[in-house]
Amino acid sequence: MRSFVSSVRRTTRALFFTSVLWLLSCWIWTIHNLHLITSSPPATPLLISLSRQQVLSNRIRQLDLIPGAERIVDSSDLQNGNNSLRAKSTHRESRVKSTTTTTTTTTTTTTTTTTQTSAVAVNEPPPISSLIFPLHAKSGTHHAYLYIGSPPQRQTLIVDTGSRLTAFPCRPHCSDCGVHASPRFDINQSESLSIVPCDECLLSRTDIEPDKYFNGNGAGGDSGDVIVHVELKSDSVRDFGLRGSHHVNGRRRVLPPSCTKKQCEINQRYTEGSSWSAFEVRDYVWLGSEDRNKSHTQYFEYSKPFVFGCQVSEEGLFQTQYADGIMGLSMYTQTLVGSWFHQGSIPHESFSLCFHAQGGHISLGGTASRYYEETTDKPARHLTPMEFIPFARQNTWYFTVTVTSISVGEHVLPSDILKFLNGHKGTIIDSGTTDTFLSHKVAQAFSIAWSKIVGKKYSNKVQQYSHEEFVKLPIITFEFDGGTQWDVRPDAYMEAADENSVHNDPVSTAQSKYAPWSGKRGFTSRIYVDEPHGAVLGANMMMDHDVYFDIANRRLGVARAKCLF
């Protein structure tokens, strides 16, 4: 018993001395660090700035770890120590960021911050533009006036967000070209025109890395994509379903294979057989109106050099069309919007299109207006607040979006069909395509819902409707990533078969309906459910909406609007 008590005493003394030594060590460590802190000089602004740069760099590295994420960081972000990334990423990518598995608490916090920043960027109101120009419509296609050269000559061009090229016939070339809306552009009458030499060709180049361009993601081959050369790997031809390009199984060369008479040659072929050829020229260009005097004044103030295609031949529909040519507006550095922005003519790399049956307007560098309440004294072109949809894809010239739901009236179509809209080339907003085309995989569900509401089988052939039947036709609602809902009304997707269609009446279609009629009238639905892959949402879907194409922030804005100029 005595030996046990002695053992306990020895253990107690050992623990006591150990505790004293530990407390003494802590006290010495504390005194040492307090001395270091009080003797250190205050942090300089340079050190603070460098610290923020390091934080920003760490966040950029984290973005680089996310597949498909794109980030654009201004030099001012580094210089000013701005810790908010200007990441032009999509809402879908933000969801990937927010759900990415992280191994440390620090990484998780940074990922969440990046997601919040992206959400703020997506919903930021667009700038208001004073550069607004009229559009006029013919046969469901919308056109703008472009003034070119010195002195300026006017051409009538299709506004096409599904194309990256601007081209039209030129005199004295293109002797076989058709008769169009305007006198042919005469290159010999412009003192400022120059022919682009072969070592400076631009229109057949790509600002997308070739490996990404050819990865089968739909980056190339849009409705205005130039095909300068094809290296065949087989005799098969595949059609991606876009109204436009001729696709061949094989890789395309990014640069033109040869020059013709020391000129950069470009060629365009379309699936239905139409084609044109051109060479590259550079001249001053600017948008305008029918008022030539006013247009010339703006031209001399804002016009900048731009490279476009001078067509030397046309075949098929290009010979008979109303428009002189095409004005490509896709996400490409050699489009007019990108060129004007980089040369300082417009303040922001964006534009908006507002279509109605007779025309509408295009706004450069922003939108024509924002939504105002009815009680204000300001004109309310926007009837609803603008909502925003993030672009769905990187490495593409298309304006692609992600569809999350389709409804025919009150009938929501099955969600398992959405993969056929968002896969392959995806869902594209294309102002140069008159109608709307959905994947053929949607056809059955769409037709069933239509029949339940209308009592008729869905068809793209002419069908007869009384006025009472017509007003009961369903609104087709598309919902997109981010929650934006886009309604397509019957007077937008139904085309009257008779010559006295109200589509020919210059009225504000934002509030109009078909005037009552007696008996039956013929109408054709211009929503097609036969697209091989993906979807093309065309000009009829854009009717009576101001659609904002924000290239800088990679988003699409949509608002119901009064589109009369």
Side-chain angles (χ1 to χ4, degrees), residues 161-173:
T161 60
S163 171
R164 67 184 184 90
L165 295 177
T166 295
F168 42 85
C170 294
R171 189 187 302 273
H173 308 283

Side-chain angles (χ1 to χ4, degrees), residues 162-204:
S163 171
R164 67 184 184 90
L165 295 177
T166 295
F168 42 85
C170 294
R171 189 187 302 273
H173 308 283
C174 211
S175 58
D176 295 331
C177 289
V179 177
H180 303 301
S182 311
R184 197 170 303 164
F185 176 74
D186 192 335
I187 62 175
N188 293 325
Q189 296 299 316
S190 176
E191 298 177 357
S192 52
L193 182 139
S194 62
I195 297 174
V196 178
C198 290
D199 58 349
E200 297 180 12
C201 298
L202 291 176
L203 299 186
S204 48

Side-chain angles (χ1 to χ4, degrees), residues 285-318:
V285 298
W286 188 246
L287 287 175
S289 65
E290 289 186 346
D291 187 334
R292 293 181 184 271
N293 292 332
K294 181 179 178 180
S295 297
H296 288 181
T297 300
Q298 289 188 332
Y299 171 89
F300 291 118
E301 181 177 357
Y302 293 103
S303 65
K304 297 293 182 183
F306 178 69
V307 175
F308 57 90
C310 212
Q311 291 176 346
V312 297
S313 69
E314 292 178 330
E315 293 182 5
L317 296 178
F318 287 102

Side-chain angles (χ1 to χ4, degrees), residues 481-537:
D481 197 3
T484 297
Q485 292 187 340
W486 191 336
D487 290 340
V488 188
R489 300 173 183 274
D491 56 354
Y493 68 78
M494 296 296 286
E495 181 179 86
D498 58 332
E499 294 181 355
N500 295 322
S501 164
V502 296
H503 277 296
N504 296 322
D505 294 337
V507 296
S508 175
T509 57
Q511 295 179 338
S512 71
K513 295 181 179 179
Y514 284 112
W517 64 85
S518 59
K520 300 275 189 176
R521 289 180 62 188
F523 293 89
T524 302
S525 174
R526 293 303 184 185
I527 296 178
Y528 294 86
V529 285
D530 59 358
E531 188 76 354
H533 305 282
V536 179
L537 308 183

Side-chain angles (χ1 to χ4, degrees), residues 381-447:
R381 275 202 175 102
H382 288 184
L383 303 175
T384 59
M386 180 165 278
E387 299 182 77
F388 298 95
I389 308 164
F391 293 154
R393 298 192 177 204
Q394 313 295 326
N395 307 319
T396 177
W397 295 314
Y398 307 140
F399 295 104
T400 56
V401 291
T402 299
V403 180
T404 58
S405 175
I406 301 179
S407 300
V408 179
E410 299 297 324
H411 296 269
V412 180
L413 303 189
S415 60
D416 58 357
I417 65 173
L418 298 176
K419 60 187 177 184
F420 301 109
L421 300 174
N422 299 321
H424 204 71
K425 70 172 183 282
T427 296
I428 299 168
I429 309 297
D430 185 359
S431 65
T433 296
T434 304
D435 305 319
T436 290
F437 299 86
L438 306 180
S439 168
H440 66 99
K441 297 290 187 178
V442 177
Q444 183 177 4
F446 191 97
S447 299

Side-chain angles (χ1 to χ4, degrees), residues 53-107:
Q53 289 183 24
Q54 292 169 356
V55 171
L56 184 60
S57 299
N58 289 337
R59 295 174 67 186
I60 293 172
R61 283 194 292 271
Q62 287 184 345
L63 269 179
D64 291 337
L65 295 176
I66 302 171
E70 179 189 14
R71 40 89 177 159
I72 303 174
V73 181
D74 282 355
S75 58
S76 60
D77 290 327
L78 293 174
Q79 294 169 358
N80 300 328
N82 186 352
N83 62 356
S84 62
L85 280 178
R86 293 183 60 210
K88 309 313 192 265
S89 54
T90 67
H91 185 76
R92 179 173 60 181
E93 292 165 344
S94 298
R95 291 207 311 266
V96 172
K97 295 170 191 171
S98 64
T99 57
T100 301
T101 302
T102 54
T103 56
T104 65
T105 302
T106 302
T107 305

Side-chain angles (χ1 to χ4, degrees), residues 177-470:
C177 289
V179 177
H180 303 301
S182 311
R184 197 170 303 164
F185 176 74
D186 192 335
I187 62 175
N188 293 325
Q189 296 299 316
S190 176
E191 298 177 357
S192 52
L193 182 139
S194 62
I195 297 174
V196 178
C198 290
D199 58 349
E200 297 180 12
C201 298
L202 291 176
L203 299 186
S204 48
R205 294 178 183 270
T206 173
D207 47 4
I208 298 170
E209 295 177 14
D211 288 343
K212 296 178 180 178
Y213 181 87
F214 296 118
N215 68 358
N217 191 32
D222 62 342
S223 62
D225 186 18
V226 62
I227 298 181
V228 293
H229 182 67
V230 179
E231 299 174 345
L232 288 175
K233 292 185 178 178
S234 70
D235 294 331
S236 63
V237 176
R238 60 178 180 178
D239 180 4
F240 282 78
L242 276 176
R243 270 55 186 174
S245 298
H246 180 68
H247 299 267
V248 182
N249 237 352
R251 292 169 62 98
R252 286 173 289 183
R253 293 177 57 175
V254 177
L255 299 177
S258 62
C259 279
T260 302
K261 298 180 181 180
K262 298 182 180 181
Q263 299 169 353
C264 301
E265 183 179 4
I266 51 177
N267 300 282
Q268 177 68 70
R269 293 179 177 85
Y270 293 76
T271 52
E272 39 71 37
S274 299
S275 65
W276 55 262
S277 299
F279 62 94
E280 296 183 23
V281 298
R282 180 183 285 108
D283 209 340
Y284 284 79
V285 298
W286 188 246
L287 287 175
S289 65
E290 289 186 346
D291 187 334
R292 293 181 184 271
N293 292 332
K294 181 179 178 180
S295 297
H296 288 181
T297 300
Q298 289 188 332
Y299 171 89
F300 291 118
E301 181 177 357
Y302 293 103
S303 65
K304 297 293 182 183
F306 178 69
V307 175
F308 57 90
C310 212
Q311 291 176 346
V312 297
S313 69
E314 292 178 330
E315 293 182 5
L317 296 178
F318 287 102
Q319 288 188 319
T320 59
Q321 70 179 8
Y322 163 79
D324 300 311
I326 192 168
M327 185 170 74
L329 293 171
S330 67
M331 288 189 292
Y332 181 62
T333 53
Q334 295 306 316
T335 59
L336 285 166
V337 172
S339 177
W340 283 330
F341 169 71
H342 291 296
Q343 295 184 80
S345 289
I346 62 176
H348 193 263
E349 193 173 11
S350 63
F351 64 97
S352 73
L353 296 174
C354 200
F355 288 173
H356 69 83
Q358 289 298 303
H361 58 262
I362 177 173
S363 305
L364 299 178
T367 61
S369 68
R370 292 181 186 158
Y371 172 70
Y372 295 102
E373 298 293 340
E374 295 295 333
T375 56
T376 66
D377 57 356
K378 297 181 180 179
R381 275 202 175 102
H382 288 184
L383 303 175
T384 59
M386 180 165 278
E387 299 182 77
F388 298 95
I389 308 164
F391 293 154
R393 298 192 177 204
Q394 313 295 326
N395 307 319
T396 177
W397 295 314
Y398 307 140
F399 295 104
T400 56
V401 291
T402 299
V403 180
T404 58
S405 175
I406 301 179
S407 300
V408 179
E410 299 297 324
H411 296 269
V412 180
L413 303 189
S415 60
D416 58 357
I417 65 173
L418 298 176
K419 60 187 177 184
F420 301 109
L421 300 174
N422 299 321
H424 204 71
K425 70 172 183 282
T427 296
I428 299 168
I429 309 297
D430 185 359
S431 65
T433 296
T434 304
D435 305 319
T436 290
F437 299 86
L438 306 180
S439 168
H440 66 99
K441 297 290 187 178
V442 177
Q444 183 177 4
F446 191 97
S447 299
I448 291 173
W450 178 275
S451 298
K452 288 180 179 179
I453 298 170
V454 181
K456 296 181 180 182
K457 183 180 178 181
Y458 186 74
S459 174
N460 295 115
K461 296 180 179 180
V462 177
Q463 291 188 326
Q464 300 295 317
Y465 294 93
S466 67
H467 182 261
E468 291 74 17
E469 292 172 329
F470 185 87

